[in-house]
Amino acid sequence: MSGKPKLHYVNGRGRMESIRWLLAAAGVEFEEQFIETKEDLEKLLSDGLLLFQQVPMVEIDGMKMVQTRAILSYIAAKYNLYGKDLKERALIDMYVEGTTDLMGIIMYLPFQPPEAKEKNLALITDKATTRYFPVYEKVLKDQGQDYLVGNHFTWADVHLLEAILMVEEYKSDILSKFPLLQAFKGRISNIPTIKKFLQPGSQRKPPPDEKYIAQVKQIFNI
Amino acid sequence: MAGKPKLYYFNGRGRMESIRWLLAAAGIEVGSSVLKKTNDGALLFQQVPMVEIDGMKMVQTRAILGYIAAKHNLYGKDLKERALIDMYVEGTRDLIDLIRVHHKFSPEEQEKNLALINERATARYFPVYEKVLKDHGTEFLVGNQLTWADVQLIEAILMVEEKVSTVLSKFPLLQDFKTRICNIPTIKKFLQPGSQRKPPPDESYVVTANRVFNRK
């Protein structure tokens, strides 16, 4: 018997945030158990709950799922956010791998030395505006529709919105040369489940701060 | 109309090797194109691997592997099997990635990396798959037939063995698994000389990769 999915992670974005986004977009309520100390992590490990000794871990439908992509794919497929056939799935997979790479750069930023901050900011801006956003702008242009794939809302759209908002936190005018992405952002943000997730009080996590970074370093021995 | 899939990469393992493995396991013949430079407009995110398949120019290794697995019945029979396969291939992917970059390191870093590869293989990944085979009691990791998970695991095992030849010494079920999977006709063929399988990186590979990817 399955209850709500239960997310095991630290109380911050990291690799779990995309999972929170996708569950929220699908309108799925979920619980969270936060790892706050090294001992919390050690308990998960000694209880044998982490297949490869790593988090994220999501208890869902009787499974203890690990590996971010595996979890995301399962949720997408289960809640009809993975397209209607193999070809749509292929497009969705390509697009989310792109946004994963972009968000990956941002995820590691807080753990880089302060001297590298300016360089990294330039890297994010460069990659966003020359490698990734032009692709999605073109997809929207060529498709001529509201969504990236197949004229329906999919995981690819959720992931792209997450990436856009994340980059905007670093450079608020990052979409200035991408009118279709601006419209896309407005549209997707207004989808009721997403709108709800974007409001205060939701399970969306704030950007990392000093306290969070220190906690993560301590728990994971970084 | 579908012709042979065409693989765009340089002439080495890198990120394309898992794709070569999976296509070979599925019994699919490929054509290949050796890439001269990566600033070709045909590359969605200006990156390789790129595979021309079924009218698409697919990029992103995982996307390509997922498509091939699903198309050729190597992705399990339902969502739950798929979930298991995804978890297992993500695990072996992490292990393969440690080895994939090994040749880029300095000799001192390589020594450290070798220890890490050995530790991860014997303490994190192989125990999991040994246990899966034990609990499952069948020939394959998931369900009752060959899946992407088995193919990627055999790839990982052979790659680690190239670095640490005794790595399976404490994993009897994985030893049996290795023998069994290597004897599957399509895989046996891929393991023979003259196949599309690429050798481990050597000096000329590093030079070529650096040139193709515009690295200093």
Side-chain angles (χ1 to χ4, degrees), chain B residues 18 61-62 65 88-97 152:
Chain B
S18 296
T61 312
R62 271 181 195 81
L65 288 166
Y88 299 157
V89 300
E90 288 294 306
T92 42
R93 167 66 39 209
D94 286 346
L95 180 56
I96 289 172
D97 277 351
Q152 199 155 287

Side-chain angles (χ1 to χ4, degrees), chain A residues 68-102:
Chain A
T68 311
R69 269 180 197 80
I71 297 164
L72 287 166
S73 290
Y74 181 77
I75 295 166
K78 184 180 177 191
Y79 294 103
N80 206 24
L81 292 166
Y82 221 156
K84 70 180 200 303
D85 59 26
L86 201 48
K87 287 245 173 141
E88 287 197 354
R89 204 175 172 134
L91 289 172
I92 292 165
D93 278 342
M94 280 194 276
Y95 298 157
V96 303
E97 287 295 304
T99 38
T100 297
D101 285 348
L102 178 57

